Structure formats: structure tokens, C-alpha cells
Amino acid sequence: MDNNKNEILLNVEDLHVQYDTSDGTACAVNGISFQIKRGETFGLVGETGAGKTTTALSILKLLPQRVGNISSGKIEFEGRDLIKCTEEEMREIRGSHISMIFQDPMTSLNPVLTVGDQIAESIETHHPDLSQDEIEERVDNVLQLVGIPASRKYEYPHQFSGGMKQRVVIAMALVCDPMLLLADEPTTALDVTVQNQVLDMMGKLKEELNTSMILITHDLGIVCQMCDNVAIMYAGEIIEIGSVYDIFDFSKPHHPYTKGLFGSLPSMQGDSKRLKPVAGLMPDPMNLPQGCKFNPRCEHCAEKCKTEHPKPFTDGTHSIRCHLYDKLKAGEI
């Protein structure tokens, strides 16, 4: 594996993803672009329905058959366009080069197979040349890596707690040493104590293996703890992107939606008695608003926001799509 952290591992350009249903076409991802370097953790943040999971499933080409489709764009992994890969080529990539930790460990494991057999399946698929003893040794090593005694490989999923199930799912994702790990809200089903243990473990494993990671979450605390760069998604678009320092620096300009996300968090300072949620709901992907997709919920909405799609305002590594910063773009401020 190349340890050059400046090398681009994943390049997503102008990605559009749709779900064609009997009720109409849902525009789930609408022209997003981002890059991930080797060894980097990239956060995708937003409400439910923002298009985060669809983005991850698109990278692995695991969208629902005959319903989900990538209508346009480019997904380059190590310079290779995954969209043009055949299903056979994608089977070789999934698990060995790119792995995914799915959102719910309770439903990600087969209840009738031991956890050892489920971890071994990935090794047998991608390394058919290994002997049974070598496969067993790899299973033992990866279980110990995630803090599970190797002797528990003979047990079934129902014999593990929620936190231990999540560790098993992480072990399955890491067993073939992937270069990119897609973690879809990996701690949602866990209590706070176990959540911190799993996050610490994932951070250590990422450093040890130099694995890049896309961390999908709505928890800004996890983003601050884990990520190098962050993209804020809304209605299938990236409305703000930058380094973790750009996003968490409150002296910098931010998208009104980003400000709303921070405003809805409890603060350890001040005597505020109520949280301030973002008003309204995520728009229907089958009937998206014209102009800025956030305009129905934005307290700064102007007529221009309802008709013109905002172009990005960029300051170094930080980029925002909002008409509030049009004067900054033009150098008038």
C-alpha cells in the first residue's frame, strides 16, 4: 500500500443518483463532488434523507436493482471509474479494496452462521489460494484486533451484545485490509459508553492500517473527533465542504443550514432552556424546490434564492453554496 497521504484515493465528480419508482423519480443525489486522500477520514453530515447512504451505496454500486441508478457523473477509485466496472469487477473490489460498515449491526449479520464463518467468507472469496489454517488464523487475528477473543468465533450473532455485534461487523469490513472504509452511522444503535469505545477502536485501526474512511453521521461531536474533512449534505447536494477546522470555526462564514445544525445542539455554556431546531422538513426528493433547495426553511431567503441555484463561494479549502455570500464572491466585501 502506498503511504503517500497526498495521493487522491477516491474522486467523485458531479454525481447524480435517481430512484425510479411507480410514484415517480426521486432525485436522491444531485451533482455532488469531493475527493478523499489516502489515510484521510471524510465526514458526510446531514439529516435523514440528505443522500448520505445513497452516496456510499453508489460507490460500491449496491443501489437497489431496477430502481436505483447513477444517471451521470464519475466515481474514480485509484484512477479507475467504478461506474464503468462490470458486476464481476465490482465483486473483486467490494470487501478487498472498499468495504462498508452498514448502519444496523443487528440486521447485517446472518443469524444461522457463526461469526467466524461470516468473517471467513470474505477471506475465501478474495483469497482462494489460502489454506483453511491460514483463513482461521486471519479470522482469529482480526477478532483480536477489534477486541473480541478468538475463541468466540464459534458463537452466533444472538450471543453477542449490540456493541460486540458492531465490532464483528467492523472485523468483517477490515479482514481483507481495504484501502477505503465506508462507515454508515456505525454507532447509531450503541449506547454512549460503547459508542466511544468503538470510535476509539476505529480511529486506532485506521491509523495502523492507513485506511481511508467515509464516516456518515448526523452527530457533529463524532465529526469533530474523527474527521479530517467534512461535507454538509442537504437534499442530495453538498452545500458546504471544508476541513474540520473550516466547519467548526465559528468566526468563518457558514451556510444557514450548517448554522442551524450547530444551533440545535445543547451547549455547556449559557443558560438556554430550549434547543433551537432547524424549522421545517427535508424536501420531497420527487418534488425538489427551485433555486436553493434550502430556501423553504431558510430565514434569510430572498427572491433570488427561489429561482437561482447558488454557485459556490470558495475560500481556500472552504466552500459554501449560498446567495448570502454573492457579494463576497464578487469581492464587494
Side-chain angles (χ1 to χ4, degrees), residues 262-276:
F262 280 108
S264 64
L265 294 174
S267 174
M268 299 298 288
Q269 300 175 344
D271 58 355
S272 176
K273 295 181 180 180
R274 296 185 66 86
L275 299 179
K276 186 182 178 183

Side-chain angles (χ1 to χ4, degrees), residues 304-324:
K304 186 178 186 179
C305 302
K306 299 176 182 179
T307 57
E308 294 184 30
H309 190 263
K311 295 180 180 178
F313 159 67
T314 303
D315 180 14
T317 57
H318 191 198
S319 182
I320 308 169
R321 283 187 177 272
C322 179
H323 287 303
L324 279 177

